[in-house]
């Protein structure tokens, strides 16, 4: 049999041990002979360590959600009890949805998405956008609070998805802000 180290000692594994015991009566006759098996060795539990999960087709990855205020309907339709990524548990998914919803609601124009277009694009179109981006009020009211919400959401979501060997990030670009979960 193979030797295996357990709790500081060496024990034989996969080697059947049978002991024949004989009870001898008062007159010296054998009363019973029965096989006695060796006790099963106790195995130490291994600590839980997050292992990357190999996810292929049908895994729902990469998963993207627009956090633009004109896409609020996507967030409201997101089912907090059923993850589109099969490996994420319902309770973990619910925490992710809450963090993303708080992030989206942290946008300055959340209650009036049309006002965002007017503020950044009227009356000068692309020139107005550049002027707004140079305006410290835009940074104080629109950009910095949103960055704080994204940082808070990332701090909540990262530990959850990392348990499943996944990564979370925000993808900011000209087409908006997206929450992304990927391998």
């Amino acid at each position: 049999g193979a030797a295996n180290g357990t709790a500081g000692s060496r024990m034989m594994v996969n080697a059947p041990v049978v002991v024949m015991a004989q009870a001898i009566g008062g007159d010296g006759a054998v009363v019973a002979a029965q096989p006695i098996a060796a006790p099963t060795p106790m195995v130490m539990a291994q600590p839980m360590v997050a292992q990357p999960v190999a996810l292929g087709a049908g895994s729902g990855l990469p998963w993207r959600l627009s956090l633009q205020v004109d896409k609020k309907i996507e967030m409201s339709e997101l089912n907090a009890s059923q993850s589109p990524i099969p490996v994420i548990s319902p309770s973990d998914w619910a925490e992710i949805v809450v963090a993303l919803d708080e992030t989206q609601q942290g946008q300055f124009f959340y209650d009036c998405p049309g006002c965002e277009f007017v503020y950044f694009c009227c009356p000068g179109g692309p020139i107005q956008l550049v002027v707004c981006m140079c305006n410290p009020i835009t940074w104080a009211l629109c950009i910095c609070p949103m960055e704080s919400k994204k940082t808070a959401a990332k701090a909540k979501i990262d530990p959850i998805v990392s348990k499943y060997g996944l990564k979370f990030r925000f993808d900011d670009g000209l087409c908006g802000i997206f929450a992304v979960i990927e391998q």
Side-chain angles (χ1 to χ4, degrees):
N4 182 22
T6 306
S9 66
R10 300 187 68 75
M11 296 185 69
M12 297 301 288
V13 177
N14 295 330
V17 177
V18 177
V19 177
M20 296 297 288
Q22 295 181 350
I24 300 176
D27 60 356
V30 175
V31 176
Q34 26 184 315
I36 301 172
T40 305
M42 187 167 58
V43 178
M44 303 282 293
Q46 298 297 319
M48 295 294 288
V49 177
Q51 297 294 326
V53 179
L55 300 172
S59 66
L61 295 175
W63 177 83
R64 293 173 60 87
L65 175 71
S66 174
L67 295 179
Q68 289 301 105
V69 291
D70 62 336
K71 307 283 191 216
K72 287 192 283 189
I73 192 75
E74 290 179 24
M75 179 62 76
S76 65
E77 290 176 348
L78 194 59
N79 186 347
S81 65
Q82 184 169 353
S83 170
I85 305 167
V87 297
I88 298 179
S89 73
S91 60
D92 285 342
W93 182 249
E95 289 182 50
I96 291 170
V97 170
V98 167
L100 293 176
D101 190 41
E102 289 171 356
T103 303
Q104 188 180 48
Q105 289 182 26
Q107 295 187 47
F108 184 75
F109 295 104
Y110 181 81
D111 293 323
C112 187
C115 293
E116 184 176 26
F117 170 78
V118 171
Y119 181 78
F120 284 107
C121 298
C122 294
I127 295 169
Q128 179 70 21
L129 176 63
V130 172
V131 170
C132 286
M133 295 307 287
C134 294
N135 184 348
I137 294 172
T138 301
W139 286 87
L141 295 178
C142 302
I143 298 171
C144 291
M146 186 61 188
E147 289 302 313
S148 296
K149 290 287 188 178
K150 287 174 15 186
T151 300
K154 188 157 176 44
K156 289 179 185 176
I157 297 171
D158 272 342
I160 296 171
V161 298
S162 66
K163 292 190 302 190
Y164 302 100
L166 303 174
K167 297 175 186 160
F168 175 78
R169 66 182 171 88
F170 285 106
D171 185 10
D172 297 305
L174 292 176
C175 296
I177 302 167
F178 291 88
V180 181
I181 298 175
E182 57 197 356
Q183 274 189 306

